[in-house]
Amino acid sequence: MNVNIEINDGLAGYQFKSDQNETIHFEDMPRREQIQVLNAFVNGYKLFLMALKEEE
């Protein structure tokens, strides 16, 4: 699965694609996949938070 993130004016949009490049809707995913996606977002947040620059 691939996740594309688009950010415009502070708003974020997410698009999920299967390995066959077909769009997948979050609500149509099995619960297990939904949990995997949410866990990936949490881990990504932690990763980027560690690299966040201090306010100047």
Side-chain angles (χ1 to χ4, degrees):
M1 176 186 311
N2 292 308
V3 178
N4 297 318
I5 302 170
E6 186 174 321
I7 302 171
N8 290 314
D9 298 324
L11 299 174
Y14 301 88
Q15 184 179 54
F16 304 98
K17 294 279 192 166
S18 71
D19 293 336
Q20 293 76 31
N21 205 32
E22 296 173 349
T23 300
I24 304 169
H25 298 281
F26 186 80
E27 60 272 12
D28 294 335
M29 292 178 193
R31 179 177 168 79
R32 181 180 169 101
E33 283 186 15
Q34 289 178 328
I35 291 170
Q36 289 175 327
V37 167
L38 295 175
N39 284 335
F41 285 163
V42 169
N43 290 330
Y45 173 82
K46 290 177 184 177
L47 175 69
F48 289 110
L49 186 61
M50 289 188 306
L52 182 64
K53 295 179 181 179
E54 293 292 326
E55 190 172 352
E56 294 180 10

